[in-house]
Amino acid sequence: MKFELATDKTPAGDQPQAIEKLVAGIHSGQRHQTLLGVTGSGKTFTAANVIAQIQKPTLVIAHNKTLAAQLAQEYRDFFPNNAVHYFVSYYDYYQPEAYMPTSDTYIEKEAQINEEIDRLRHASTQALLTREDVIIVASVSCIYGLGSPAEYEKRHKKFEKGYETTRTELLRTLVGMYFERTNADLSPGTFRAIGNTVEIMPTNERVIYRLGFSGNHVSAITKIDAVTREIIEESDVFYLFPAKHFVTPEEERAVAYEDIKTELKEQLAKFKKEGKLLEVERLKRRTEHDLALIREIGYCNGIENYSRHFDRRAPGEAPYTLLSYFPHKPDGTPDFLTIIDESHVTIPQLGGMYAGDRSRKNTLVEFGFRLPSAVDNRPLKFDEIEERLGQRIYTSATPGKYEMEAVEQGAPLVEQVIRPTGLVDPEVVVRPIVEKGQYPGQIKDFIAEAEATIKKGARVLTTTLTKQMAEDLTDFLEERHIKTKYIHSDVETIDRIEILTDFRKGNFDCLVGVNLLREGLDLPEVELVAILDADKEGFLRSETALIQTIGRAARNVNGRVILYADEITRSLEYAITETKRRRETQMAYNQKHGITPQTIHKEIKSIADQLRSEHEETVDSLLKIDVELYKKNPKRVIKEKERQMEEAVAILDFETAAIIRDEIKYLESIAKKK
């Protein structure tokens, strides 16, 4: 399939010339291009038009999960008939393994995996290996080790009606593909055998494939809704990929096992020579335990620390990552487009990943917690990232040093400073932090301004310097009866997305954050942005940070910004001057073309809607029917539901039983309210 841009919007303002220049740059072989687009100028729409014209698989890199989720939804809206996927770290919580010599403290790796995000990661890689019309919106997770795409693809299986195999052979095949057998409810990456059928739930979608057997061949393939158990379709064929990205053939696993033993022997000898007897004992015990597990079950906790041996990589060689799954030309050069969103933040983030990881790993190796090969379980170095990315477009309202150095060396700089909507940059005023004259100080003044804005039906955004300040201010505003929520890096990925969606819907009126709110958040309902302690020079109050934060009010025709400061710093002066310049440029364009500014009206959608479990969605859909029946005859409906639940339990169909149970709870809650 080809990329098909599905929208009734047409490029306007600076967008047509930006699209034309970027496409021309790609066709002429430009490796670096920068799109300098002011906030609200439609940089994503411009990028979507470029993708539609270039017709190449595209990687979009964002610097945090929330922004990536928003971008994924926007690209899905632009390309509803193509494969747009979301690829971020699947950890809801992650504490890396570490050792602190000064206090002799060892911290074990602790992680909580989000199964739904893991499913989306598999959907991303499988799309890249099976089709060309693919857009992957990713966080910096895309530069971390992922396993060989060649082995992952090689180990996938094609099942079709008439496929010759026995039920027992199929079960062995599934185990060899890292699927786990269960007798309970199926989840992604599991299977169960019932009589002459085998049911499998793939890793990339929440459906069940039921394979029926007749003798020694597959007689039927049925695709089933995982929750309602309704038949979706009868299929002749389906493809199944391994349940894990790290796939190692058995023969290579045996070689890796011997290599790990050899490395252990060498490192123990080195420690003994240096007189590090504690390290000798520590490393020997840990590694021999891991080797025993690898030999017996093919897996151990922390197996990724031995990935160099399993991947057959040389010491120091870069790991496979998501970038390895994108198409490459016969000579090995990348054959895909990369868009680095909010590049002034994303580029430094990409560049800083390797050093921090290497420092932590070196300490673990030095004190005998890991073998030296553990350092090769790592993110890509920045020069390795540059080699693996093809032609790229950097988008930002405030391009950073890296992008501007490329411009100085001849890379195109494409400006997009005119907004199609005619919206101008917001008015900016400065007010004192402490009480002075008619102003009562930043908190009291902000509350008064927020209450007046909310009274008009608009939303308010404010930024603090720390997470604790954000939480304390939220509590204080709630006490003043201002519906408020906070958002910062400790809030889980899906919760962040849902909070932002609720904010746009008007479920609460004031959003408090730290630096997470600066880049890329598209919140046209925001009329007032307040920056507390704006004169505290530093990362959160730099020129770039201030301009980005001010830009959050540029999507609303009534947008305005209050900077609370007792002195005008260099960053404040630059931000105020640059905002004024852009404001005057847009106003002159509007006057020349007779444009009346209009607030952006954007449909409120959230990728979180797609991350809701099928269980929740099914309960909701069934309740729409059952509530009406319940109103007519409550006792009869409850009794019938209890009978259905008991029947489901009797045949071990616990998923259906759980759905019915939650229906009963909801219906009974209606009765209590009455």
Side-chain angles (χ1 to χ4, degrees):
M1 292 181 65
K2 290 188 174 183
F3 286 107
E4 295 179 0
L5 187 59
T7 178
D8 54 3
K9 290 171 59 179
T10 55
D14 269 353
Q15 292 172 344
Q17 60 87 24
I19 294 166
E20 183 180 349
K21 289 178 181 177
L22 291 170
V23 170
I26 292 170
H27 285 317
S28 66
Q30 290 287 349
R31 193 170 175 81
H32 305 267
Q33 295 190 87
T34 298
L35 175 62
L36 192 163
V38 297
T39 301
S41 63
K43 295 187 289 292
T44 304
F45 181 56
T46 295
N49 276 272
V50 172
I51 293 170
Q53 292 190 36
I54 295 301
Q55 290 291 322
K56 281 190 175 183
T58 302
L59 170 65
V60 180
I61 307 178
H63 64 88
N64 68 52
K65 293 179 178 181
T66 309
L67 178 56
Q70 177 179 296
L71 287 170
Q73 187 57 59
E74 289 182 4
Y75 279 109
R76 282 196 178 111
D77 290 342
F78 288 135
F79 298 102
N81 301 316
N82 302 111
V84 179
H85 291 283
Y86 178 62
F87 186 97
V88 298
S89 168
Y90 54 32
Y91 295 120
D92 278 338
Y93 170 78
Y94 181 65
Q95 170 62 60
E97 181 183 27
Y99 178 67
M100 293 178 284
T102 53
S103 59
D104 189 28
T105 303
Y106 171 69
I107 302 170
E108 280 194 77
K109 173 184 171 181
E110 187 179 348
Q112 183 177 337
I113 292 177
N114 184 308
E115 288 187 359
E116 190 62 22
I117 294 179
D118 188 32
R119 182 185 70 78
L120 293 173
R121 287 165 64 92
H122 279 280
S124 298
T125 52
Q126 292 177 28
L128 285 170
L129 295 175
T130 56
R131 55 195 296 175
E132 296 179 348
D133 59 325
V134 182
I135 298 172
I136 306 294
V137 183
S139 67
V140 292
S141 176
C142 66
I143 66 168
Y144 280 77
L146 193 61
S148 166
E151 289 299 333
Y152 184 70
E153 184 174 22
K154 190 192 302 180
R155 294 292 291 274
H156 89 279
K157 291 287 183 183
K158 176 183 179 182
F159 295 102
E160 54 188 333
K161 287 176 69 173
Y163 179 76
E164 192 169 332
T165 185
T166 65
R167 177 178 173 278
T168 303
E169 287 172 348
L170 175 60
L171 301 187
R172 287 201 193 100
T173 298
L174 292 172
V175 170
M177 295 173 71
Y178 302 95
F179 280 79
E180 295 182 8
R181 186 170 183 173
T182 181
N183 291 322
D185 298 338
L186 289 175
S187 57
T190 63
F191 70 94
R192 63 187 173 199
I194 306 171
N196 284 330
T197 64
V198 176
E199 295 185 339
I200 310 163
M201 183 177 286
T203 51
N204 65 317
E205 55 182 338
R206 284 191 173 274
V207 297
I208 295 171
Y209 285 94
R210 177 188 290 159
L211 275 61
F213 280 84
S214 177
N216 291 339
H217 67 271
V218 176
S219 58
I221 299 174
T222 309
K223 187 176 181 181
I224 302 170
D225 187 287
V227 179
T228 65
R229 308 292 294 180
E230 291 181 0
I231 294 176
I232 299 173
E233 64 178 358
E234 297 288 345
S235 303
D236 291 329
V237 62
F238 90 98
Y239 294 85
L240 186 67
F241 279 80
K244 297 184 184 300
H245 282 112
F246 292 93
V247 179
T248 308
E250 195 168 337
E251 60 275 11
E252 290 188 15
R253 197 184 309 155
V255 176
Y257 177 87
E258 294 301 324
D259 286 351
I260 296 168
K261 283 177 65 176
T262 300
E263 186 186 13
L264 173 62
K265 185 178 179 181
E266 293 172 353
Q267 187 68 359
L268 291 177
K270 177 177 179 294
F271 279 152
K272 286 176 183 177
K273 186 177 180 180
E274 295 171 351
K276 296 182 174 181
L277 300 183
L278 174 61
E279 284 78 0
V280 167
E281 180 60 29
R282 184 183 282 156
L283 184 64
K284 183 180 179 182
R285 189 183 335 115
R286 156 68 67 81
T287 311
E288 287 183 346
H289 176 261
D290 288 349
L291 283 169
L293 288 172
I294 291 170
R295 183 181 64 246
E296 295 300 325
I297 63 175
Y299 182 81
C300 71
N301 286 329
I303 195 170
E304 63 274 9
N305 289 291
Y306 306 108
S307 61
R308 189 187 84 196
H309 296 293
F310 289 101
D311 292 343
R312 315 307 303 147
R313 287 184 281 128
E317 188 178 346
Y320 297 109
T321 66
L322 178 69
L323 307 185
S324 311
Y325 286 74
F326 277 86
H328 291 71
K329 295 177 182 177
D331 63 359
T333 57
D335 192 21
F336 61 95
L337 177 65
T338 300
I339 297 170
I340 301 182
D341 199 76
E342 302 296 349
S343 57
H344 62 285
V345 177
T346 308
I347 292 289
Q349 194 177 62
L350 289 169
M353 294 292 104
Y354 173 77
D357 182 85
R358 183 60 184 256
S359 175
R360 180 174 56 82
K361 294 277 178 56
N362 282 344
T363 302
L364 288 167
V365 171
E366 181 183 351
F367 289 91
F369 289 94
R370 287 291 172 192
L371 290 172
S373 58
V375 300
D376 288 319
N377 167 44
R378 60 174 176 83
L380 296 174
K381 301 175 186 176
F382 193 68
D383 60 335
E384 294 169 339
I385 297 170
E386 288 193 301
E387 290 172 8
R388 285 159 177 75
L389 292 180
Q391 294 178 292
R392 66 206 80 154
I393 297 171
Y394 311 106
T395 70
S396 175
T398 51
K401 181 181 177 183
Y402 177 85
E403 303 93 290
M404 296 313 294
E405 284 178 352
V407 170
E408 290 169 7
Q409 293 171 15
L413 175 67
V414 179
E415 286 201 343
Q416 187 171 296
V417 297
I418 302 297
R419 299 181 178 92
T421 56
L423 283 170
V424 296
D425 279 80
E427 283 189 82
V428 178
V429 298
V430 180
R431 292 183 184 172
I433 295 173
V434 298
E435 185 176 354
K436 185 177 181 181
Q438 61 177 318
Y439 298 110
Q442 66 178 1
I443 299 300
K444 288 184 178 179
D445 185 77
F446 167 66
I447 289 173
E449 291 287 352
E451 288 175 337
T453 302
I454 293 166
K455 192 174 181 180
K456 294 189 293 182
R459 252 61 101 229
V460 177
L461 187 66
T462 184
T463 60
T464 63
L465 286 173
T466 68
K467 290 183 279 190
Q468 188 61 53
M469 288 171 65
E471 294 178 16
D472 291 344
L473 180 59
T474 299
D475 291 340
F476 186 72
L477 293 173
E478 282 285 342
E479 290 173 6
R480 294 295 300 263
H481 306 295
I482 297 175
K483 295 178 182 177
T484 308
K485 288 189 179 182
Y486 65 83
I487 187 169
H488 53 58
S489 57
D490 286 349
V491 179
E492 291 185 0
T493 307
I494 304 304
D495 292 337
R496 276 182 255 170
I497 299 166
E498 290 181 341
I499 287 170
L500 289 168
T501 304
D502 285 344
F503 182 53
R504 289 201 60 205
K505 289 178 178 177
N507 294 341
F508 64 97
D509 303 309
C510 179
L511 183 60
V512 183
V514 192
N515 66 326
L516 183 64
L517 297 174
R518 291 187 291 110
E519 288 88 10
L521 295 177
D522 194 354
L523 307 169
E525 296 78 15
V526 171
E527 190 173 298
L528 172 64
V529 171
I531 304 177
L532 304 183
D533 301 300
D535 59 0
K536 302 300 184 286
E537 190 81 69
F539 173 70
L540 295 177
R541 299 295 181 261
S542 64
E543 296 173 1
T544 298
L546 289 168
I547 288 175
Q548 288 285 345
T549 310
I550 288 168
R552 295 315 108 213
R555 289 172 168 83
N556 191 299
V557 71
N558 298 314
R560 58 197 183 95
V561 177
I562 302 176
L563 304 172
Y564 290 100
D566 289 329
E567 60 177 300
I568 301 299
T569 62
R570 181 183 57 80
S571 295
L572 274 172
E573 184 176 6
Y574 176 84
I576 293 168
T577 302
E578 178 63 13
T579 301
K580 183 180 178 183
R581 182 188 73 82
R582 294 179 180 182
R583 180 179 171 84
E584 290 172 349
T585 300
Q586 182 76 52
M587 290 172 71
Y589 178 87
N590 291 351
Q591 186 173 3
K592 181 179 178 181
H593 294 85
I595 296 174
T596 301
Q598 297 177 1
T599 298
I600 293 173
H601 294 287
K602 191 169 186 179
E603 188 178 354
I604 301 173
K605 289 186 177 180
S606 170
I607 193 173
D609 294 339
Q610 300 170 37
L611 302 186
R612 293 179 73 219
S613 71
E614 273 75 3
H615 176 92
E616 294 172 305
E617 292 174 352
T618 304
V619 170
D620 288 350
S621 64
L622 290 174
L623 280 171
K624 291 176 183 177
I625 301 169
D626 292 334
V627 167
E628 295 303 316
L629 296 173
Y630 181 78
K631 289 177 181 177
K632 296 176 182 177
N633 195 331
K635 290 182 180 180
R636 183 177 177 182
V637 169
I638 293 292
K639 190 173 181 179
E640 175 61 20
K641 288 291 171 189
E642 289 174 342
R643 184 189 64 76
Q644 292 173 1
M645 182 172 67
E646 289 169 2
E647 285 182 356
V649 171
I651 61 172
L652 305 182
D653 187 357
F654 299 112
E655 284 186 1
T656 301
I659 291 170
I660 299 170
R661 175 204 62 198
D662 290 348
E663 283 187 86
I664 293 171
K665 283 183 180 179
Y666 181 81
L667 294 171
E668 288 177 339
S669 71
I670 294 176
K672 288 179 182 178
K673 289 177 182 177
K674 290 181 179 180

